[in-house]
Amino acid sequence: MTDRRKFLKTSALASAALLVNACSNDKPKANTKVNKPIVLSTWRFGIEANQAAWAILSKNGKALDAVEAGVMVPEGDPKERSVGYGGRPDRDGRITLDACIMDELSNIGSVAGLEFIKHPISVARAVMEKTPHVMLVGDGALQFALSQGFKKENLMVEESEKEWKEWLKDSEYKPIANIENHDTIGMIALDSHGNLSGACTTSGMAFKMHGRVGDSPIIGAGLYVDNEVGAATATGHGEEVIRIAGCHLVVELMRQGKTPQQACEEAVARVVKLMDLRKKDLKDIQVGFIALNKNGETGSYCVQSGFNYAVYDASGNRLIDAGYHIKV
Ligand code: SD4
């Protein structure tokens, strides 16, 4: 090759590379290889939850069905002490559950402060599919659930009752980051048809005030899905997630061209900034986000170490430690 041809070829390659870089902030390209199906969920119990979701996704099932089936696993497990059956009570000793679900058409359903029902996510789905509304709370949510044939059950397990009685001695609400406040399951999935859905379910912060609602049942805070762009879900101190409309923020950042990782990092930076502004100690809280875009690319970030999440795709099911802001 002559020097001139070599030069032309190299500069053509260089401009192509520049072009790719310039475009890398754009929305996913139609010809990009999409990593699907894929499912992500928060915390270590995400591994088992992902398995249930994968059973559906791997047979070309819908992301909506997969996320519902996935989060039902910890909901139904009394050993998981912050979701569904076996969840920790509020300070009055009542187990009040929050959950929401969102599909690829932006159908949404949510319940907050729901008592006595083991699978609040399925009630949220029923709100989405069978009512003209998007959110039911407290007694109204329970009445609706019963009318739909859900069974009224005692969700309190011995350990939760013991812990609550212990807590009552000082009655001090000081959630320990990563311990008393964690274990909401948020799950987001992209199915083989290229559609996204998400679900989020929790018993909320342990020993919260009765009537307190966190981010988890609030569309845009604890969960958000936009089938053109991506999906995100959150865990940790719900008040801080609501303050920044967390998951909507993550999805909008992806719409603007951020990768899922960059979007999660920027949302955490927003939490940090508002904690600073309000002179609150960041070490007292945890907030974590996970995100997925239309290409099946993933991201995660949190305030402090200790948050992990599970990813299941063609490469298998694995637990990943999220990057974190406080580097001590
Ligand atoms: C809440 N975000 O009720 C939930 C709690 C949580 O992991 O995520 N724990 O604020």
Side-chain angles (χ1 to χ4, degrees), residues 42-111:
T42 54
W43 304 107
R44 76 208 175 295
F45 53 27
I47 288 283
E48 270 191 305
N50 280 2
Q51 273 160 9
W54 190 256
I56 293 171
L57 292 171
S58 60
K59 292 193 190 91
N60 295 323
K62 288 185 65 175
L64 177 67
D65 296 326
V67 295
E68 182 189 12
V71 304
M72 283 174 80
V73 174
E75 271 187 347
D77 184 346
K79 291 190 300 306
E80 298 302 351
R81 309 285 309 296
S82 48
V83 181
Y85 178 37
R88 292 189 175 92
D90 62 22
R91 59 188 60 180
D92 296 351
R94 296 164 72 163
I95 298 171
T96 58
L97 305 174
D98 294 342
C100 74
I101 194 157
M102 183 162 191
D103 75 6
E104 76 279 8
L105 298 172
S106 292
N107 289 308
I108 51 178
S110 158
V111 287

